[in-house]
């Protein structure tokens, strides 16, 4: 049985005009799906189009072409029919600093026509009951972001749209946010789309990933499928990583250098045959200390998707 889709973007294109009249392509035939019950991590570098895509879904920007199907409606034509299905936190929460967290949420509840009881439930959900009667101005960034999620959740939407909800949070606040997403998913069956430019965050909170680059969605799949599709990666430890990278690149093998607790390791970007790699290195007088095989992680998937997209469309250029 396939999971129903709540949202489907098809070939959505959006070009902004800057104040100087320059055209700036933010979305370029952007396609992705949001299946029910999933937490979709919308992953991409700064300026890749994540916020624009979410704004198009919410009706805050109007695409030039392409379609968005959401909750059985076609956007932007039927935008007013889908508003109640979505709760959003875009580009940080907007609350009144001088009012308490509870007061701010009550105002949001009034706007949505949600019962006062929903405010208490939302405060409990985001673990802000103890701080509910303090002024919003005195909240930490993590508390502000959690109150923003509470406001998005107040109307009990079918889909939560959260733009960079973990941006700028310290590791403990990121952990709180991760636990909150777990509760929303498990206790409320919530579907979520969560954007981020940080791989590790997306890997920790999502079970589905859409990778955006230059306004295009270059991968859109369940995380387990993405990871299973990539084969094992060879990982090398050598004395002179730069030299080894150059030697391998000379034979068409791309690598990524990662620095961890054990120093710098080189990871092959695609699956490769161990003996072939050793032959290349030793023929140039490079003798690895260690060569192991590891299962791919999201960074491997990300690198491979970007490489594949660059090969398919060389005018995009390559970033390393
Ligand atoms: N209102 C606007 N006017 C003109 N250009 C814009 C506007 N909003 C976004 N852009 C441009 O569109 C492109 C995509 O921007 P967008 O904000 O969607 O990216 P993003 O992936 O959310 O980036 P970030 O990670 O920095 O939030 C960028 O080149 C950006 O400069
Ligand atoms: Mg953004």
């Amino acid at each position: 049985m396939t999971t129903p889709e709540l949202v489907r973007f098809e070939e959505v294109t959006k070009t902004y005009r800057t104040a100087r009249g320059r055209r700036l392509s933010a979305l370029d035939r952007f396609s992705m799906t949001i299946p029910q019950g999933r937490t979709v991590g919308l992953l991409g570098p700064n300026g890749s189009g994540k916020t624009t895509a979410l704004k198009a879904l919410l009706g805050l920007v109007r695409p030039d072409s392409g379609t968005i199907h959401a909750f059985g409606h076609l956007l932007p034509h039927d935008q007013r029919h889908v508003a109640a299905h979505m709760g959003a936190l875009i580009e940080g929460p907007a609350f009144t600093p001088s009012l308490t967290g509870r007061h701010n949420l009550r105002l949001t509840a009034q706007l949505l026509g949600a019962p006062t009881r929903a405010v208490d439930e939302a405060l409990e959900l985001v673990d802000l009951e103890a701080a509910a009667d303090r002024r919003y101005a005195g909240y930490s960034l993590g508390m502000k972001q959690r109150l923003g999620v509470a406001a998005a959740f107040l109307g009990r939407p079918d889909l939560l749209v959260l733009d960079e909800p973990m941006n700028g949070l310290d590791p403990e606040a990121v952990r709180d946010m991760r636990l909150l997403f777990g509760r929303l998913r498990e206790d409320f069956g919530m579907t979520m789309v969560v954007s981020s430019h940080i791989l590790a965050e997306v890997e920790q909170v999502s079970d589905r990933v859409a990778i955006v680059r230059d306004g295009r969605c270059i991968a859109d799949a369940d995380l387990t499928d993405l990871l299973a599709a990539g084969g094992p990666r060879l990982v090398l430890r050598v004395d002179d990583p730069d030299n080894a990278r150059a030697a391998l690149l000379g034979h068409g093998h791309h690598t990524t250098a990662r620095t961890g607790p054990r120093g710098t390791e080189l990871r092959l970007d695609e699956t490769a045959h161990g003996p072939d790699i050793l032959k290349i290195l030793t023929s140039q007088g490079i003798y690895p200390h260690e060569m192991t095989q590891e299962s791919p992680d999201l960074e491997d998937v990300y690198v491979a998707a970007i490489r594949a997209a660059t090969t398919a469309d060389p005018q995009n250029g390559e970033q390393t």
Side-chain angles (χ1 to χ4, degrees), residues 128-210:
L128 280 177
E129 291 156 299
D133 297 309
R134 279 168 48 194
R135 272 156 35 109
Y136 177 74
Y139 280 14
S140 70
L141 187 59
M143 292 160 79
K144 287 178 173 165
Q145 292 291 84
R146 294 212 305 283
L147 193 71
V149 176
F153 174 78
L154 268 182
R156 292 294 174 97
D158 299 311
L159 171 67
L160 277 182
V161 178
L162 306 173
D163 190 25
E164 306 263 4
M166 293 164 295
N167 204 7
L169 301 189
D170 64 35
E172 200 184 327
V174 169
R175 183 178 156 273
D176 290 343
M177 198 57 93
R178 201 171 69 225
L179 296 174
L180 169 58
F181 292 164
R183 278 199 68 188
L184 285 164
R185 198 165 39 224
E186 275 132 45
D187 299 352
F188 298 93
M190 190 63 75
T191 309
M192 288 177 274
V193 53
V194 179
S195 79
S196 173
H197 57 276
I198 300 173
L199 272 158
E201 285 179 0
V202 168
E203 189 160 28
Q204 284 178 8
V205 303
S206 321
D207 51 15
R208 189 175 172 90
V209 178

Side-chain angles (χ1 to χ4, degrees), residues 16-18 24-26 44-53 91 163-164 197:
Y16 288 108
R17 271 186 197 283
T18 63
L24 229 158
S25 167
N46 291 130
S48 55
K50 304 178 297 292
T51 300
T52 304
E91 290 179 339
D163 190 25
E164 306 263 4
H197 57 276

Side-chain angles (χ1 to χ4, degrees), residues 35 79 84 117 123 178 188 226 234 259 276 287:
Q79 196 76 46
R117 175 172 39 86
L123 284 167
R178 201 171 69 225
F188 298 93
L226 280 174
L234 285 172
T259 303
D276 292 345
Y287 298 93

